[in-house]
Amino acid sequence: MGDVKVCVVCNENITDRAMKAKDQFYHENHFTCATCGADLKNIPVFSKDGKLYCDADYKKNFVPKCAKCNEYITSDCVRAMDQSWHPEHFQCYGCLTQFTSNMSYRAKDNHPYCEHCYTDTVLPKCGGCGDPITDKAVKALEKQWHIKCFVCQECKTTFEGSKNFYSMEGKPICGPCAGAEEED
């Protein structure tokens, strides 16, 4: 008399053909996907936490999708910004350079940027010189300015110490250059 096989689904002896997955036995009619109920006899079978799944349901429930292409990631995976990526798709949103393990990135609006593209495309630009602002800034005249660039457009005097300034054609100008008397 041979070994008695017991179905893991119904706990009854299997007297006819037994199906096997991960060292567990099933009646043929119990060898089905836990999610959709598909018959698994002639298709690839996946097992997780003691349950059987067809390929589609296993991927849908347990395999991450790439944040860029939205395809399942079945081999190497990069985790960054609380998302999963194919390694070749974890790249700068600006220049498409693929990030390597020794490169840093910065995130903006759920997109990764290399330092160069982040500086060029994301950081605000100075109302005076047009360069990206990476440090302290002055916000005036509906623009941001480097502190060193927020000066009178005529005499180049700074407005530090809360000197008043005026606007002429969207540029800052001090009282004396604007023809206004400064109050003491």
Side-chain angles (χ1 to χ4, degrees):
M1 187 167 153
D3 291 332
V4 175
K5 294 175 180 69
V6 177
C7 177
V8 297
V9 175
C10 67
N11 286 326
E12 292 184 14
N13 289 346
I14 302 172
T15 57
D16 53 354
R17 186 171 175 204
M19 304 303 293
K20 183 179 178 183
K22 290 253 184 177
D23 294 326
Q24 294 186 319
F25 294 98
Y26 301 81
H27 284 109
E28 281 188 273
N29 61 324
H30 292 151
F31 200 63
T32 57
C33 176
T35 302
C36 71
D39 183 344
L40 300 175
K41 287 191 291 272
N42 297 313
I43 60 175
V45 177
F46 296 86
S47 177
K48 178 138 176 113
D49 300 328
K51 294 182 180 178
L52 302 179
Y53 297 92
C54 65
D55 182 64
D57 285 325
Y58 183 81
K59 285 179 179 173
K60 184 170 53 175
N61 290 314
F62 305 111
V63 177
K65 283 189 171 186
C66 177
K68 181 171 184 185
C69 72
N70 207 32
E71 295 293 323
Y72 290 110
I73 302 171
T74 58
S75 60
D76 292 342
C77 179
V78 172
R79 286 282 305 152
M81 301 169 32
D82 293 325
Q83 299 180 78
S84 299
W85 311 75
H86 288 108
E88 64 273 17
H89 290 160
F90 186 54
Q91 54 193 197
C92 175
Y93 188 69
C95 67
L96 303 181
T97 296
Q98 183 178 340
F99 291 108
T100 60
S101 60
N102 63 346
M103 291 175 70
S104 63
Y105 68 91
R106 309 229 7 220
K108 174 71 172 162
D109 298 329
N110 227 18
H111 297 293
Y113 288 88
C114 67
E115 288 296 327
H116 180 269
C117 288
Y118 186 85
T119 299
D120 282 354
T121 61
V122 176
L123 293 179
K125 307 301 181 271
C126 177
C129 68
D131 288 341
I133 298 175
T134 59
D135 201 4
K136 292 180 183 176
V138 173
K139 190 167 188 172
L141 305 173
E142 298 181 16
K143 297 177 184 172
Q144 293 188 44
W145 306 74
H146 291 112
I147 292 172
K148 69 180 191 304
C149 295
F150 192 66
V151 296
C152 173
Q153 296 302 298
E154 297 291 325
C155 69
K156 306 300 181 207
T157 301
T158 69
F159 295 105
E160 288 186 79
S162 67
K163 286 186 181 176
N164 292 332
F165 67 90
Y166 299 87
S167 172
M168 190 163 290
E169 297 177 7
K171 302 283 184 179
I173 190 166
C174 68
C177 290
E181 294 293 318
E182 292 281 323
E183 292 183 20
D184 291 329

